[in-house]
Amino acid sequence: MPGKNLTRDEAIARAALVSVDHYDVALDLTTSEKTFRSTTTVTFSSPEPGTSTFIDLIAESVQSITLNGEQLDPATHFDGVRIQLPELAGQNELTIDATALYMNTGEGLHRFVDPVDDEVYLYSQFEVADCRRMFAVFEQPDLKATYAFTVTAPSHWEVVSNSPTPEPTPVRDGVATWAFEATPRMSCYITALVAGPYAVVRDEVETRKGTVPLGIFCRKSMLQHLDADNIFDCTKRGFAFFENEFDSEYPFAKYDQLFTPEYNMGAMENAGAVTINEIYVFRAKVTEAIIERRALTILHELAHMWFGNLVTMKWWNDLWLNESFAEWASTTCQAEATQWETAWTTFGTSEKAWAYRQDQLSSTHPIVAPIRDLEDVEVNFDGITYAKGASVLKQLVAYVGREPFVAGLRAYFAKHAWGNTTLSDLLDELAATSGRDLDTWSKLWLETAGVNTLRPEVEVDDQGVVTSARIVQTYAEGYETLRPHRLAVGLYAVQGDALVRTDRLELDVDGESTDIPELVGRAQPDLLLVNDDDLAYAKIRLDERSLATALAHPRGFQDSLPRALVLGAAWDMTRDAETPGRAFVDLVLASLPGETDSTLLRTLLGQLQTTVAMYLAPEHRDESLARTVAALKELATRAEPGSDAQLQLVTAYAAMLTSAEDAAYARALLEGTEVLEGLAIDTEMRWTLLTSMAAAGAASEEEIRAERERDNTSTGREREARALAARPSAEAKAAAWAAGVESDELPNSVLDATSLGFGRAVDPSVLQPYVEKYHAMLLDVWEKRTHAIAEGIVQQFYPAALASRELLEATQAWLDAHREAPAALVRLVSENRDSIARALRAQERDAAGQQG
Ligand SMILES: [Zn+2]
């Protein structure tokens, strides 16, 4: 997106010239359906009078620019993205009167019309650099200021921002103005405006600073589904935990959580006005995994009020610390202060798996990444920034000790409140409280990329007694770093059908080989589990005997954590083409019965789908698919009525079915001629079944349109788009492509749904024409669409289901021919290439069979 970028060098230079005091922002939201009036007055000082700088604004037009009483001509000073400010004074007052655009991409001020009642709902989303779409602003995190918003809007609306909502003043019939008090000093990316006839539920929480008002908002038509009590309960636990842990009172005047439609991410930590994806208001039965995830999200955003909002990174290169800290703090709170005591198991199963996947792409990067500009950071909301960072932070806590860690944090908050910091400010405090040298640790863990593999090697005599045992550490080519790991090794024995832990050793692993002398002279355990308890960030392998034991007793572990670790190792071995995909399918199918850990079940079902679709040799695919679908149906039929497993198994069955017979069964469930006891055929399950029928070519367009009539909501609109695009005909794929890629009419959420349907192909050959079309459209889409939209298209319209050599070669050819393309685009395309290259290696391994 040329022109909209901002480099780190520019930000540093501007911060040296500008010190911002205060913004008065007046918004009139009653002017039209496409645009709104935005008037900003900003006061700022400059230590170098006479120099020039710029302020950011993305707007349709600018009516006037007044700098220190002097008019500047918008025609020559505004280029659509920036306003040039010549001849600064020591103290400056700048007023900009502009016409800004509502967005339909989830960036800036997003406008949504509820199909249920035609009401208009607005919400803002400003990270990384989109508040310039709402008002003129020096858009970088270290130019903190105070903000006073004045909003003119329909008088029946709720208007919410960072400061408590004031009483509105009537302006004219049906229109009122809300004049908010100034915020505390903060970064612009956490300012917010949410407005519309939102429904609200109120409560309050006792804190160190006294009573803090709490609010939960959602669209009126969603209120019937809102379980506010659960959300308030989780929120209050978070307030108590964080105030105590950080020894610092909640920084803001109130805490509102707003569930907003057509939202790109999970949530956003706007100061005192958190926005959350509306999928977390449950309009139908959802999995336990999603409910747990929502709680984590609530705590994650709350943790940001201190780490991120009270103390803020100077530049986006410390985004990782912001996000990793929130991940670590929220998981700790969830494990210690809520019902989800196994939160760290979930962290291992989903977050860490994300980190390992990301860390093995060619685009991987050190946790502390060089962030040269906004484009670099836009693509860095990834598995390194969130999940690997949090894993390593967890290890840092172990390394310095929990008490010194918390003491360091408290000193950090006390010293830097309302300011900006870098990583070293935190490490300095932790070094001081722990007495540890963190320079070496930081270099090995934060400044290098890649994941190590840890493999046990055990030798025994003819009596089966261990004569030597060691853990061998390796690295991937190109990432030649060996790291220190504090970890545990579990010794398990087969007792009946169970695998019982008989001992646990904890040790430091470092270098290429680390002996385990405690094992020597003992009988070889049936199963040796490296990284038991999941303390380390590393891929693990099992020795031959242990692997055989695990495969023979897939349900042997009583706890879900060792089971998840062994299955995770098997998954890695499949992805790394060390074992054939069919063996993984067998292992998962044997492991599914009786699985009650919702996130583990969800993970396994996802891996099963990926394996069957991508990692099997083409000649094995049909047979394995048929076997898998039949097994899922059988398991779903036998699952406990109404259970989480039943819901997940039926959903996975629907996602994978291809045959007319299975589509007919799905129809029978939908129409009620077949009944699975306890399975609610609610709004979402209806769409799940109908979409599976559509994908198999067994549901007509009329039928899909009729379902939309029945569910005439914004979610219904998304589900309709997905089902239509999932149909197997060339015409359906062409229509999805035209709507999503060639037109910019679709709002973000409908576009996302369309791409999901497009990628679903019972016979992937229907996507063959898109090998060429995909690569041909990339530069154009990248240039013309906003970041969030372009990224979604690049990732989700890739015809990955083909998983063929031809696709790999076409993508590589594009990369070879476009070395000068924007780095962020190249990165996304190369990640697509990597996933196909990995799939082809796995397919070759699968073709070779067990002996390979
Ligand atoms: Zn976050």
Side-chain angles (χ1 to χ4, degrees), residues 293 296-297 300-301 303-304 321-333 344 347 351 354 385-387 389-391 393:
R293 180 79 203 169
L296 186 70
T297 301
H300 174 112
E301 306 311 329
H304 273 312
L321 186 58
N322 193 30
E323 295 307 343
S324 298
F325 183 88
E327 288 289 272
W328 173 82
S330 55
T331 309
T332 303
C333 175
W344 284 113
F347 179 83
E351 296 295 295
W354 181 25
T385 293
Y386 282 77
S391 306
L393 208 57

PDB file of all heavy atoms in Angstrom, residues 293 296-297 300-301 303-304 321-333 344 347 351 354 385-387 389-391 393:
ATOM      1  N   ARG A 293     -11.526 -20.272  25.333  1.00  0.00           N
ATOM      2  CA  ARG A 293     -10.794 -19.278  24.537  1.00  0.00           C
ATOM      3  C   ARG A 293     -11.339 -17.859  24.799  1.00  0.00           C
ATOM      4  O   ARG A 293     -10.588 -16.898  24.871  1.00  0.00           O
ATOM      5  CB  ARG A 293     -10.939 -19.640  23.062  1.00  0.00           C
ATOM      6  CG  ARG A 293     -10.251 -18.710  22.116  1.00  0.00           C
ATOM      7  CD  ARG A 293      -8.763 -19.003  22.048  1.00  0.00           C
ATOM      8  NE  ARG A 293      -8.029 -17.841  21.600  1.00  0.00           N
ATOM      9  CZ  ARG A 293      -6.713 -17.721  21.631  1.00  0.00           C
ATOM     10  NH1 ARG A 293      -5.965 -18.692  22.105  1.00  0.00           N
ATOM     11  NH2 ARG A 293      -6.113 -16.645  21.215  1.00  0.00           N
ATOM     12  N   LEU A 296      -9.974 -16.553  27.997  1.00  0.00           N
ATOM     13  CA  LEU A 296      -8.572 -16.159  27.832  1.00  0.00           C
ATOM     14  C   LEU A 296      -8.479 -14.802  27.129  1.00  0.00           C
ATOM     15  O   LEU A 296      -7.669 -13.948  27.506  1.00  0.00           O
ATOM     16  CB  LEU A 296      -7.829 -17.233  27.020  1.00  0.00           C
ATOM     17  CG  LEU A 296      -6.321 -17.017  26.896  1.00  0.00           C
ATOM     18  CD1 LEU A 296      -5.630 -17.239  28.234  1.00  0.00           C
ATOM     19  CD2 LEU A 296      -5.709 -17.950  25.857  1.00  0.00           C
ATOM     20  N   THR A 297      -9.320 -14.611  26.134  1.00  0.00           N
ATOM     21  CA  THR A 297      -9.328 -13.341  25.406  1.00  0.00           C
ATOM     22  C   THR A 297      -9.700 -12.181  26.328  1.00  0.00           C
ATOM     23  O   THR A 297      -9.075 -11.113  26.306  1.00  0.00           O
ATOM     24  CB  THR A 297     -10.313 -13.432  24.221  1.00  0.00           C
ATOM     25  OG1 THR A 297      -9.909 -14.501  23.372  1.00  0.00           O
ATOM     26  CG2 THR A 297     -10.341 -12.143  23.423  1.00  0.00           C
ATOM     27  N   HIS A 300      -6.741 -11.534  28.472  1.00  0.00           N
ATOM     28  CA  HIS A 300      -5.636 -10.999  27.656  1.00  0.00           C
ATOM     29  C   HIS A 300      -5.800  -9.482  27.485  1.00  0.00           C
ATOM     30  O   HIS A 300      -4.867  -8.708  27.717  1.00  0.00           O
ATOM     31  CB  HIS A 300      -5.637 -11.725  26.303  1.00  0.00           C
ATOM     32  CG  HIS A 300      -4.657 -11.213  25.300  1.00  0.00           C
ATOM     33  ND1 HIS A 300      -3.570 -11.938  24.874  1.00  0.00           N
ATOM     34  CD2 HIS A 300      -4.588 -10.040  24.613  1.00  0.00           C
ATOM     35  CE1 HIS A 300      -2.882 -11.251  23.990  1.00  0.00           C
ATOM     36  NE2 HIS A 300      -3.483 -10.083  23.801  1.00  0.00           N
ATOM     37  N   GLU A 301      -6.987  -9.061  27.098  1.00  0.00           N
ATOM     38  CA  GLU A 301      -7.199  -7.615  26.866  1.00  0.00           C
ATOM     39  C   GLU A 301      -7.092  -6.839  28.166  1.00  0.00           C
ATOM     40  O   GLU A 301      -6.556  -5.729  28.207  1.00  0.00           O
ATOM     41  CB  GLU A 301      -8.556  -7.374  26.197  1.00  0.00           C
ATOM     42  CG  GLU A 301      -8.803  -8.157  24.904  1.00  0.00           C
ATOM     43  CD  GLU A 301      -7.671  -8.065  23.889  1.00  0.00           C
ATOM     44  OE1 GLU A 301      -6.990  -7.024  23.844  1.00  0.00           O
ATOM     45  OE2 GLU A 301      -7.455  -9.046  23.151  1.00  0.00           O
ATOM     46  N   ALA A 303      -5.244  -7.584  30.733  1.00  0.00           N
ATOM     47  CA  ALA A 303      -3.817  -7.484  31.090  1.00  0.00           C
ATOM     48  C   ALA A 303      -3.142  -6.336  30.342  1.00  0.00           C
ATOM     49  O   ALA A 303      -2.236  -5.676  30.864  1.00  0.00           O
ATOM     50  CB  ALA A 303      -3.102  -8.806  30.789  1.00  0.00           C
ATOM     51  N   HIS A 304      -3.590  -6.088  29.119  1.00  0.00           N
ATOM     52  CA  HIS A 304      -3.031  -4.989  28.321  1.00  0.00           C
ATOM     53  C   HIS A 304      -3.274  -3.618  28.959  1.00  0.00           C
ATOM     54  O   HIS A 304      -2.568  -2.663  28.625  1.00  0.00           O
ATOM     55  CB  HIS A 304      -3.656  -4.966  26.926  1.00  0.00           C
ATOM     56  CG  HIS A 304      -2.991  -5.831  25.906  1.00  0.00           C
ATOM     57  ND1 HIS A 304      -1.626  -5.846  25.700  1.00  0.00           N
ATOM     58  CD2 HIS A 304      -3.511  -6.681  24.985  1.00  0.00           C
ATOM     59  CE1 HIS A 304      -1.352  -6.681  24.696  1.00  0.00           C
ATOM     60  NE2 HIS A 304      -2.469  -7.198  24.259  1.00  0.00           N
ATOM     61  N   LEU A 321       6.634  -8.186  22.801  1.00  0.00           N
ATOM     62  CA  LEU A 321       6.652  -8.185  24.258  1.00  0.00           C
ATOM     63  C   LEU A 321       5.260  -7.835  24.785  1.00  0.00           C
ATOM     64  O   LEU A 321       4.770  -8.431  25.749  1.00  0.00           O
ATOM     65  CB  LEU A 321       7.701  -7.184  24.768  1.00  0.00           C
ATOM     66  CG  LEU A 321       7.938  -7.181  26.269  1.00  0.00           C
ATOM     67  CD1 LEU A 321       8.369  -8.553  26.777  1.00  0.00           C
ATOM     68  CD2 LEU A 321       8.995  -6.136  26.637  1.00  0.00           C
ATOM     69  N   ASN A 322       4.628  -6.868  24.109  1.00  0.00           N
ATOM     70  CA  ASN A 322       3.269  -6.491  24.464  1.00  0.00           C
ATOM     71  C   ASN A 322       2.340  -7.694  24.398  1.00  0.00           C
ATOM     72  O   ASN A 322       1.596  -8.004  25.340  1.00  0.00           O
ATOM     73  CB  ASN A 322       2.826  -5.399  23.474  1.00  0.00           C
ATOM     74  CG  ASN A 322       1.569  -4.691  23.893  1.00  0.00           C
ATOM     75  OD1 ASN A 322       1.288  -4.565  25.075  1.00  0.00           O
ATOM     76  ND2 ASN A 322       0.809  -4.226  22.922  1.00  0.00           N
ATOM     77  N   GLU A 323       2.379  -8.412  23.269  1.00  0.00           N
ATOM     78  CA  GLU A 323       1.464  -9.539  23.071  1.00  0.00           C
ATOM     79  C   GLU A 323       1.864 -10.770  23.874  1.00  0.00           C
ATOM     80  O   GLU A 323       1.025 -11.443  24.453  1.00  0.00           O
ATOM     81  CB  GLU A 323       1.374  -9.881  21.580  1.00  0.00           C
ATOM     82  CG  GLU A 323       0.743  -8.780  20.735  1.00  0.00           C
ATOM     83  CD  GLU A 323      -0.617  -8.337  21.256  1.00  0.00           C
ATOM     84  OE1 GLU A 323      -1.245  -9.058  22.059  1.00  0.00           O
ATOM     85  OE2 GLU A 323      -1.050  -7.236  20.874  1.00  0.00           O
ATOM     86  N   SER A 324       3.148 -11.057  23.924  1.00  0.00           N
ATOM     87  CA  SER A 324       3.597 -12.229  24.688  1.00  0.00           C
ATOM     88  C   SER A 324       3.297 -12.057  26.166  1.00  0.00           C
ATOM     89  O   SER A 324       2.894 -12.998  26.847  1.00  0.00           O
ATOM     90  CB  SER A 324       5.100 -12.438  24.515  1.00  0.00           C
ATOM     91  OG  SER A 324       5.398 -12.683  23.174  1.00  0.00           O
ATOM     92  N   PHE A 325       3.489 -10.827  26.642  1.00  0.00           N
ATOM     93  CA  PHE A 325       3.192 -10.591  28.048  1.00  0.00           C
ATOM     94  C   PHE A 325       1.713 -10.817  28.319  1.00  0.00           C
ATOM     95  O   PHE A 325       1.340 -11.452  29.308  1.00  0.00           O
ATOM     96  CB  PHE A 325       3.604  -9.179  28.473  1.00  0.00           C
ATOM     97  CG  PHE A 325       3.377  -8.964  29.938  1.00  0.00           C
ATOM     98  CD1 PHE A 325       4.357  -9.293  30.851  1.00  0.00           C
ATOM     99  CD2 PHE A 325       2.159  -8.507  30.404  1.00  0.00           C
ATOM    100  CE1 PHE A 325       4.132  -9.163  32.217  1.00  0.00           C
ATOM    101  CE2 PHE A 325       1.923  -8.376  31.758  1.00  0.00           C
ATOM    102  CZ  PHE A 325       2.915  -8.701  32.667  1.00  0.00           C
ATOM    103  N   ALA A 326       0.858 -10.285  27.446  1.00  0.00           N
ATOM    104  CA  ALA A 326      -0.585 -10.458  27.650  1.00  0.00           C
ATOM    105  C   ALA A 326      -0.955 -11.940  27.599  1.00  0.00           C
ATOM    106  O   ALA A 326      -1.816 -12.404  28.357  1.00  0.00           O
ATOM    107  CB  ALA A 326      -1.361  -9.660  26.608  1.00  0.00           C
ATOM    108  N   GLU A 327      -0.312 -12.702  26.704  1.00  0.00           N
ATOM    109  CA  GLU A 327      -0.578 -14.143  26.623  1.00  0.00           C
ATOM    110  C   GLU A 327      -0.133 -14.846  27.911  1.00  0.00           C
ATOM    111  O   GLU A 327      -0.863 -15.670  28.465  1.00  0.00           O
ATOM    112  CB  GLU A 327       0.176 -14.770  25.438  1.00  0.00           C
ATOM    113  CG  GLU A 327      -0.386 -14.418  24.075  1.00  0.00           C
ATOM    114  CD  GLU A 327      -1.721 -15.070  23.798  1.00  0.00           C
ATOM    115  OE1 GLU A 327      -1.773 -16.185  23.292  1.00  0.00           O
ATOM    116  OE2 GLU A 327      -2.744 -14.422  24.113  1.00  0.00           O
ATOM    117  N   TRP A 328       1.057 -14.507  28.357  1.00  0.00           N
ATOM    118  CA  TRP A 328       1.563 -15.148  29.582  1.00  0.00           C
ATOM    119  C   TRP A 328       0.699 -14.777  30.793  1.00  0.00           C
ATOM    120  O   TRP A 328       0.294 -15.637  31.577  1.00  0.00           O
ATOM    121  CB  TRP A 328       3.026 -14.735  29.826  1.00  0.00           C
ATOM    122  CG  TRP A 328       3.505 -15.245  31.143  1.00  0.00           C
ATOM    123  CD1 TRP A 328       3.974 -16.503  31.407  1.00  0.00           C
ATOM    124  CD2 TRP A 328       3.491 -14.538  32.386  1.00  0.00           C
ATOM    125  NE1 TRP A 328       4.257 -16.616  32.742  1.00  0.00           N
ATOM    126  CE2 TRP A 328       3.979 -15.431  33.371  1.00  0.00           C
ATOM    127  CE3 TRP A 328       3.119 -13.247  32.776  1.00  0.00           C
ATOM    128  CZ2 TRP A 328       4.089 -15.058  34.715  1.00  0.00           C
ATOM    129  CZ3 TRP A 328       3.230 -12.879  34.103  1.00  0.00           C
ATOM    130  CH2 TRP A 328       3.716 -13.783  35.054  1.00  0.00           C
ATOM    131  N   ALA A 329       0.416 -13.483  30.927  1.00  0.00           N
ATOM    132  CA  ALA A 329      -0.330 -13.019  32.105  1.00  0.00           C
ATOM    133  C   ALA A 329      -1.746 -13.586  32.106  1.00  0.00           C
ATOM    134  O   ALA A 329      -2.265 -13.998  33.149  1.00  0.00           O
ATOM    135  CB  ALA A 329      -0.366 -11.489  32.129  1.00  0.00           C
ATOM    136  N   SER A 330      -2.386 -13.621  30.947  1.00  0.00           N
ATOM    137  CA  SER A 330      -3.774 -14.097  30.914  1.00  0.00           C
ATOM    138  C   SER A 330      -3.836 -15.608  31.148  1.00  0.00           C
ATOM    139  O   SER A 330      -4.742 -16.089  31.827  1.00  0.00           O
ATOM    140  CB  SER A 330      -4.441 -13.724  29.588  1.00  0.00           C
ATOM    141  OG  SER A 330      -3.706 -14.195  28.480  1.00  0.00           O
ATOM    142  N   THR A 331      -2.871 -16.358  30.620  1.00  0.00           N
ATOM    143  CA  THR A 331      -2.871 -17.803  30.855  1.00  0.00           C
ATOM    144  C   THR A 331      -2.580 -18.100  32.327  1.00  0.00           C
ATOM    145  O   THR A 331      -3.198 -18.981  32.934  1.00  0.00           O
ATOM    146  CB  THR A 331      -1.840 -18.512  29.950  1.00  0.00           C
ATOM    147  OG1 THR A 331      -2.042 -18.091  28.600  1.00  0.00           O
ATOM    148  CG2 THR A 331      -1.999 -20.017  30.015  1.00  0.00           C
ATOM    149  N   THR A 332      -1.653 -17.353  32.907  1.00  0.00           N
ATOM    150  CA  THR A 332      -1.362 -17.522  34.336  1.00  0.00           C
ATOM    151  C   THR A 332      -2.610 -17.238  35.168  1.00  0.00           C
ATOM    152  O   THR A 332      -2.961 -18.005  36.075  1.00  0.00           O
ATOM    153  CB  THR A 332      -0.229 -16.568  34.754  1.00  0.00           C
ATOM    154  OG1 THR A 332       0.916 -16.830  33.939  1.00  0.00           O
ATOM    155  CG2 THR A 332       0.154 -16.773  36.213  1.00  0.00           C
ATOM    156  N   CYS A 333      -3.288 -16.140  34.857  1.00  0.00           N
ATOM    157  CA  CYS A 333      -4.505 -15.781  35.590  1.00  0.00           C
ATOM    158  C   CYS A 333      -5.572 -16.852  35.402  1.00  0.00           C
ATOM    159  O   CYS A 333      -6.223 -17.275  36.356  1.00  0.00           O
ATOM    160  CB  CYS A 333      -5.009 -14.422  35.094  1.00  0.00           C
ATOM    161  SG  CYS A 333      -6.583 -13.925  35.821  1.00  0.00           S
ATOM    162  N   TRP A 344      -2.674 -24.143  30.946  1.00  0.00           N
ATOM    163  CA  TRP A 344      -1.347 -24.302  30.334  1.00  0.00           C
ATOM    164  C   TRP A 344      -1.306 -25.499  29.384  1.00  0.00           C
ATOM    165  O   TRP A 344      -0.491 -25.541  28.466  1.00  0.00           O
ATOM    166  CB  TRP A 344      -0.254 -24.404  31.392  1.00  0.00           C
ATOM    167  CG  TRP A 344       0.080 -23.071  32.010  1.00  0.00           C
ATOM    168  CD1 TRP A 344      -0.149 -22.695  33.303  1.00  0.00           C
ATOM    169  CD2 TRP A 344       0.684 -21.929  31.367  1.00  0.00           C
ATOM    170  NE1 TRP A 344       0.276 -21.391  33.502  1.00  0.00           N
ATOM    171  CE2 TRP A 344       0.790 -20.903  32.334  1.00  0.00           C
ATOM    172  CE3 TRP A 344       1.137 -21.679  30.070  1.00  0.00           C
ATOM    173  CZ2 TRP A 344       1.333 -19.648  32.050  1.00  0.00           C
ATOM    174  CZ3 TRP A 344       1.674 -20.432  29.784  1.00  0.00           C
ATOM    175  CH2 TRP A 344       1.769 -19.434  30.774  1.00  0.00           C
ATOM    176  N   PHE A 347      -2.681 -24.085  26.342  1.00  0.00           N
ATOM    177  CA  PHE A 347      -1.613 -23.254  25.768  1.00  0.00           C
ATOM    178  C   PHE A 347      -0.664 -24.126  24.943  1.00  0.00           C
ATOM    179  O   PHE A 347      -0.299 -23.781  23.816  1.00  0.00           O
ATOM    180  CB  PHE A 347      -0.863 -22.555  26.905  1.00  0.00           C
ATOM    181  CG  PHE A 347       0.273 -21.686  26.445  1.00  0.00           C
ATOM    182  CD1 PHE A 347       0.041 -20.394  26.005  1.00  0.00           C
ATOM    183  CD2 PHE A 347       1.576 -22.156  26.453  1.00  0.00           C
ATOM    184  CE1 PHE A 347       1.086 -19.589  25.575  1.00  0.00           C
ATOM    185  CE2 PHE A 347       2.628 -21.354  26.024  1.00  0.00           C
ATOM    186  CZ  PHE A 347       2.374 -20.069  25.583  1.00  0.00           C
ATOM    187  N   GLU A 351      -1.562 -22.861  21.337  1.00  0.00           N
ATOM    188  CA  GLU A 351      -0.657 -21.740  21.113  1.00  0.00           C
ATOM    189  C   GLU A 351       0.733 -22.207  20.674  1.00  0.00           C
ATOM    190  O   GLU A 351       1.321 -21.700  19.732  1.00  0.00           O
ATOM    191  CB  GLU A 351      -0.525 -20.896  22.389  1.00  0.00           C
ATOM    192  CG  GLU A 351      -1.799 -20.234  22.821  1.00  0.00           C
ATOM    193  CD  GLU A 351      -2.279 -19.208  21.816  1.00  0.00           C
ATOM    194  OE1 GLU A 351      -1.619 -18.194  21.606  1.00  0.00           O
ATOM    195  OE2 GLU A 351      -3.344 -19.458  21.224  1.00  0.00           O
ATOM    196  N   TRP A 354       0.973 -23.507  17.234  1.00  0.00           N
ATOM    197  CA  TRP A 354       1.003 -22.362  16.303  1.00  0.00           C
ATOM    198  C   TRP A 354       2.435 -21.831  16.187  1.00  0.00           C
ATOM    199  O   TRP A 354       2.956 -21.575  15.093  1.00  0.00           O
ATOM    200  CB  TRP A 354       0.032 -21.297  16.824  1.00  0.00           C
ATOM    201  CG  TRP A 354      -0.091 -20.058  15.989  1.00  0.00           C
ATOM    202  CD1 TRP A 354       0.150 -19.924  14.651  1.00  0.00           C
ATOM    203  CD2 TRP A 354      -0.508 -18.766  16.456  1.00  0.00           C
ATOM    204  NE1 TRP A 354      -0.096 -18.625  14.266  1.00  0.00           N
ATOM    205  CE2 TRP A 354      -0.492 -17.898  15.335  1.00  0.00           C
ATOM    206  CE3 TRP A 354      -0.902 -18.258  17.707  1.00  0.00           C
ATOM    207  CZ2 TRP A 354      -0.850 -16.549  15.439  1.00  0.00           C
ATOM    208  CZ3 TRP A 354      -1.264 -16.919  17.798  1.00  0.00           C
ATOM    209  CH2 TRP A 354      -1.239 -16.081  16.687  1.00  0.00           C
ATOM    210  N   THR A 385       5.241 -13.752  17.400  1.00  0.00           N
ATOM    211  CA  THR A 385       4.955 -12.600  18.249  1.00  0.00           C
ATOM    212  C   THR A 385       4.078 -12.973  19.445  1.00  0.00           C
ATOM    213  O   THR A 385       4.309 -12.523  20.559  1.00  0.00           O
ATOM    214  CB  THR A 385       4.285 -11.511  17.391  1.00  0.00           C
ATOM    215  OG1 THR A 385       5.257 -11.035  16.460  1.00  0.00           O
ATOM    216  CG2 THR A 385       3.774 -10.370  18.226  1.00  0.00           C
ATOM    217  N   TYR A 386       3.062 -13.785  19.212  1.00  0.00           N
ATOM    218  CA  TYR A 386       2.156 -14.155  20.303  1.00  0.00           C
ATOM    219  C   TYR A 386       2.639 -15.405  21.043  1.00  0.00           C
ATOM    220  O   TYR A 386       2.888 -15.383  22.239  1.00  0.00           O
ATOM    221  CB  TYR A 386       0.749 -14.423  19.763  1.00  0.00           C
ATOM    222  CG  TYR A 386      -0.041 -13.173  19.453  1.00  0.00           C
ATOM    223  CD1 TYR A 386       0.200 -12.436  18.305  1.00  0.00           C
ATOM    224  CD2 TYR A 386      -1.049 -12.726  20.314  1.00  0.00           C
ATOM    225  CE1 TYR A 386      -0.535 -11.301  18.013  1.00  0.00           C
ATOM    226  CE2 TYR A 386      -1.791 -11.586  20.034  1.00  0.00           C
ATOM    227  CZ  TYR A 386      -1.527 -10.877  18.880  1.00  0.00           C
ATOM    228  OH  TYR A 386      -2.245  -9.757  18.595  1.00  0.00           O
ATOM    229  N   ALA A 387       2.758 -16.515  20.298  1.00  0.00           N
ATOM    230  CA  ALA A 387       2.854 -17.811  20.965  1.00  0.00           C
ATOM    231  C   ALA A 387       4.283 -18.207  21.333  1.00  0.00           C
ATOM    232  O   ALA A 387       4.536 -18.677  22.432  1.00  0.00           O
ATOM    233  CB  ALA A 387       2.218 -18.873  20.078  1.00  0.00           C
ATOM    234  N   GLY A 389       6.763 -16.103  21.679  1.00  0.00           N
ATOM    235  CA  GLY A 389       7.157 -15.118  22.691  1.00  0.00           C
ATOM    236  C   GLY A 389       6.630 -15.495  24.070  1.00  0.00           C
ATOM    237  O   GLY A 389       7.350 -15.444  25.068  1.00  0.00           O
ATOM    238  N   ALA A 390       5.367 -15.900  24.116  1.00  0.00           N
ATOM    239  CA  ALA A 390       4.780 -16.260  25.413  1.00  0.00           C
ATOM    240  C   ALA A 390       5.423 -17.520  25.978  1.00  0.00           C
ATOM    241  O   ALA A 390       5.642 -17.639  27.186  1.00  0.00           O
ATOM    242  CB  ALA A 390       3.271 -16.449  25.265  1.00  0.00           C
ATOM    243  N   SER A 391       5.759 -18.482  25.104  1.00  0.00           N
ATOM    244  CA  SER A 391       6.426 -19.702  25.564  1.00  0.00           C
ATOM    245  C   SER A 391       7.776 -19.373  26.177  1.00  0.00           C
ATOM    246  O   SER A 391       8.176 -19.929  27.211  1.00  0.00           O
ATOM    247  CB  SER A 391       6.663 -20.658  24.384  1.00  0.00           C
ATOM    248  OG  SER A 391       5.472 -20.918  23.705  1.00  0.00           O
ATOM    249  N   LEU A 393       8.674 -16.426  27.335  1.00  0.00           N
ATOM    250  CA  LEU A 393       8.462 -15.638  28.556  1.00  0.00           C
ATOM    251  C   LEU A 393       8.183 -16.564  29.741  1.00  0.00           C
ATOM    252  O   LEU A 393       8.666 -16.347  30.852  1.00  0.00           O
ATOM    253  CB  LEU A 393       7.278 -14.692  28.334  1.00  0.00           C
ATOM    254  CG  LEU A 393       7.259 -13.390  29.119  1.00  0.00           C
ATOM    255  CD1 LEU A 393       8.511 -12.577  28.846  1.00  0.00           C
ATOM    256  CD2 LEU A 393       6.027 -12.572  28.762  1.00  0.00           C
TER     257      LEU A 393
END
